[in-house]
Amino acid sequence: ATTPQRSNKPYYVTTPIFYVNAAPHVGHLYTMVIADIMKRWQVLLGNTDAQLLTGTDEHGMKIQQAAIQAGMDTQAFCDMNCRTFEALAKAANLDNDHFIRTTDPAHRDAVQYFWEMLQHRGYIYTSKHEGWYSVSDETFYPQTQVQNSLDPSTGRKRMVSIETGKEVEWSSETNYHFRLSAFKDRLLDLYKREDPFITPTSYTAAVIKGLESGLQDLSISRPAERLTWGIPVPGDDTQTIYVWLDALVNYLTKAGYPFPPGKENTSAWPADLHVVGKDIIRFHCVYWPAFLMALDLPLPRNVLVHGHWTMNREKMSKSTGNVVNPFFAIERFGVDGMRFFLAYRGGLADDADFDNSFIIRDYKKLLQGGIGNLTLRTIGCARGNLRSYIIDAGSDKLPAATPEDLEHQEMLEQTPPQVAELMENLNPRAALQETMSIIEKTNKYFHAAEPWKTPNSQRVIYNVAESLRIAGILLQPFMPGKSHDLLELLSVNTSDPSKRAFAATAYGSDPDYGEGVKKGILFPPLLTEE
Ligand code: ME8
């Protein structure tokens, strides 16, 4: 699904830009990690100019109010919280090429230009707008999507969004509108095209249903007396641009928008992939393509939506406060321990419940007991001379293959292309699970063959070494640090990148590894165990 649209264009993947109203939690880390895996996968395939963008969303009512509550100057408040998102990207070992802040001057210029183009093409008009606005969700809801509710802590009666449970307030004001309704048919065509725009496709039906029941024009500004913290409407300082229009344009800003005439084709735009949580589907799958259509700009190729991390089945959220600090989790389980857990267990089509005990269980069983133990035992079995098995394989000197050997070899030949197909279909979780199945099957093969006490089992040891090498290469996008350590333990050449690229996952394709292999502990015991 992800064949680049223009062959010379770098692959371009994005995370949402996160609100700086509070510190990041494990949900934000999850999105970052998924996007990073998608980028690193492209690099593994040889698309070394692939680009990853992440950043922070710093305007809007929500930030303005959070800064007041913190008793801080708004920009200073943004600077402070932005730093924690930057620090998280670093702690998570994100290979991001860009980090955008919507308070960057280049972004303000891009948004104002974008606005002027919409206006120039006749897609913006002013009118009175009444409706229920949620500051927390930064969006208006129609009457049919709000309900009465009692605040559980104060007993106060209030109106909330049915979808998110967040409080809404009545607002009646004159502002600018975007002719969103004009794009209904083109949007429906987009969702129904053969190469699915939205993945997993289980999310598409609800988007179509929402559209078919009516698509209204969108309010895209707020009066400056209510919202000052944002980008002024060009030529009208009494209005501030709606934070979501401002935010979505970030994906263009870092691709060099406004494109200098004749230079459109040197940009990374269109994005190949936007990775987003399911809470912001409407913004990315309805508003964003419509804005782009209005300007005849190319659309992003795919939107990869993921489910939410929950705690006791309730969405982990900054405003609810039921959050896990991602820095502590990384410190406790290691960056790759966390990346592995999030990618292996995190939901794409579904939500997933978070609990430290789940991480500990997976760490012990799949990482320590699976990859770590297999590596130790293989190296032990080769008695410090893994290299001789690789040489023997290269010169056809291994004992004849048993049916089990052949079956294992066949599995090793089939798995990498299957993993590649799952990645192509935007399913990193299934791709990781498929990769880990190599480890599981190799463990079984190894234990059944008992090479440590069976004569003439050099082929088994070779096949197990190949299994680890191939799995190690495939794991690089998921666990960059640990897979590096694994490939180092096997003495796979570091200075020649082709030895660690996807093409090197072909069985028997590397005759050069295994020199001077030493034992090493890949996954040490966790410091604190419950
Ligand atoms: O929506 N589980 O920012 P935001 C999984 N600024 N992922 C989660 C999550 C959870 N419990 N909670 C949050 C915004 N996320 C806008 C985006 S983009 C142009 C503007 C992740 O700080 C998930 O990716 O509220 C979700 O979509 C995003 O954080 C929302 O982050």
Side-chain angles (χ1 to χ4, degrees), residues 333-337 363 367 371 472 475 479-488 521-524:
F333 304 112
V335 54
D336 283 337
Y363 184 92
L367 299 182
I371 304 176
L475 284 170
M479 294 194 285
K482 292 297 178 182
S483 56
H484 175 84
D485 295 348
L486 169 58
L487 294 173
E488 287 299 294
I521 304 283
L522 276 177
F523 296 98

Side-chain angles (χ1 to χ4, degrees), residues 282 288 418 519:
R282 182 162 35 101
W288 183 226
Q418 278 162 3
K519 279 196 187 186

Side-chain angles (χ1 to χ4, degrees), residues 15-22 25-32 56-58 62 85 136-137 243-244 246-251 275-281 283-284 306-311 314-318 347 351-352:
T15 73
I17 48 171
F18 304 107
Y19 287 128
V20 288
N21 61 314
H25 59 68
V26 158
H28 305 107
L29 173 61
Y30 178 51
T31 317
M32 284 182 170
T56 44
D57 191 352
E58 307 192 357
K62 181 167 162 141
F85 282 91
S136 183
D137 300 335
V243 62
W244 266 104
D246 169 347
L248 286 161
V249 171
N250 93 84
Y251 303 131
V275 181
V276 302
K278 69 178 189 186
D279 48 316
I280 53 178
I281 294 182
F283 304 96
H284 285 83
H306 63 67
H308 289 144
W309 285 97
T310 58
M311 298 266 279
E314 194 190 347
K315 183 190 169 198
M316 198 184 281
S317 126
K318 283 181 284 209
D351 290 351

Side-chain angles (χ1 to χ4, degrees), residues 326-505:
F327 295 99
F328 292 170
I330 287 174
E331 198 171 288
R332 181 167 177 193
F333 304 112
V335 54
D336 283 337
M338 272 311 281
R339 287 177 64 113
F340 176 84
F341 174 75
L342 294 174
Y344 195 85
R345 298 285 175 200
L348 296 171
D350 301 300
D351 290 351
D353 211 39
F354 189 93
D355 192 305
N356 284 333
S357 69
F358 302 160
I359 309 180
I360 293 170
R361 184 192 59 197
D362 283 339
Y363 184 92
K364 283 186 177 166
K365 177 154 183 253
L366 302 171
L367 299 182
Q368 269 186 314
I371 304 176
N373 193 35
L374 185 65
T375 307
L376 262 184
R377 298 199 60 186
T378 307
I379 293 171
C381 233
R383 293 177 206 288
N385 199 6
L386 188 61
R387 179 79 198 124
S388 70
Y389 297 82
I390 316 301
I391 292 173
D392 284 355
S395 52
D396 267 342
K397 285 196 196 130
L398 294 179
T402 65
E404 289 78 18
D405 296 335
L406 287 177
E407 194 192 329
H408 194 74
Q409 178 178 335
E410 206 174 298
M411 180 279 291
L412 289 178
E413 285 163 352
Q414 286 167 355
T415 306
Q418 278 162 3
V419 171
E421 194 179 320
L422 290 165
M423 289 302 287
E424 180 83 5
N425 293 333
L426 308 178
N427 195 339
R429 171 176 158 141
L432 177 56
Q433 291 176 345
E434 186 70 21
T435 303
M436 289 304 288
S437 79
I438 297 179
I439 301 294
E440 194 194 322
K441 287 172 187 160
T442 306
N443 253 317
K444 286 198 179 124
Y445 166 69
F446 184 70
H447 284 278
E450 301 187 311
W452 56 93
K453 66 176 192 197
T454 312
N456 285 324
S457 36
Q458 297 92 313
R459 186 175 287 275
V460 175
I461 295 178
Y462 175 71
N463 279 347
V464 175
E466 276 299 87
S467 309
L468 286 170
R469 185 183 67 84
I470 293 167
I473 293 171
L474 292 173
L475 284 170
Q476 291 174 103
F478 300 89
M479 294 194 285
K482 292 297 178 182
S483 56
H484 175 84
D485 295 348
L486 169 58
L487 294 173
E488 287 299 294
L489 280 181
L490 298 173
S491 256
V492 174
N493 192 330
T494 336
S495 50
D496 176 359
S498 74
K499 298 283 193 190
R500 296 175 181 217
F502 180 76
T505 59

